[in-house]
Amino acid sequence: MPPDPDELLQQATMLASRSGATQADFRRAISNAYYAVFHFALTTLADVFHGGPANRSTASSTSSYSLIYRSVDHSTLAKLCRQLSQTNPQGLAIVPSAGLGPVADFARVTGNLQAQRLLADYDPNRTFTDVEAKIAVSDAYQAMTWFNSSSIEQKRAFHLMLMFKQR
């Protein structure tokens, strides 16, 4: 089974909220918040090709599920999120008839979480607070809610642009 975004966020919440939490706890919580939305995006993508979440428990052990899941890396997701986060994105391969809607909000928050994760994981001079860690967790939950509330057409556009490069 792929990493469970909800489990990652539960762990992040615990780390950010525990008494005596350390910088390592806050950094890990922020990192987990990003990884939750990253794995959420990969899971929703792989599910598209395997009949949805209802089939995940059996499909996730197949080589085709793994191929799809592993085909997207962090930079690919970041690039798409930057593009979709723009006020008036240009040059999109696919534009849903009702616009990007909540998918654009998902992309904006995911991009912000990735930037925070990079700081949390790699910037030795940056310190974090419990509030920053809790906001990252809240943002991750909100991003997934926005994605789930988007139309099938909006989700499909996101998945296709995530999988395929425009030429």
Side-chain angles (χ1 to χ4, degrees), residues 96-115:
S97 59
L100 294 167
V103 165
D105 295 321
F106 171 82
R108 178 181 45 78
V109 171
T110 299
N112 290 341
L113 286 170
Q114 187 185 44

Side-chain angles (χ1 to χ4, degrees), residues 1-3 35 38-39 41-43 45-47 49-50 60 62-76 162-163:
M1 288 289 288
Y35 276 105
F38 177 74
H39 288 291
L42 300 182
T43 299
L45 174 63
D47 285 350
F49 291 90
H50 287 90
S60 64
T62 66
S63 57
S64 61
Y65 193 96
S66 183
L67 176 67
I68 295 163
Y69 196 94
R70 301 273 301 144
S71 69
V72 177
D73 61 24
H74 297 283
S75 63
T76 302
L162 188 59
M163 280 290 292

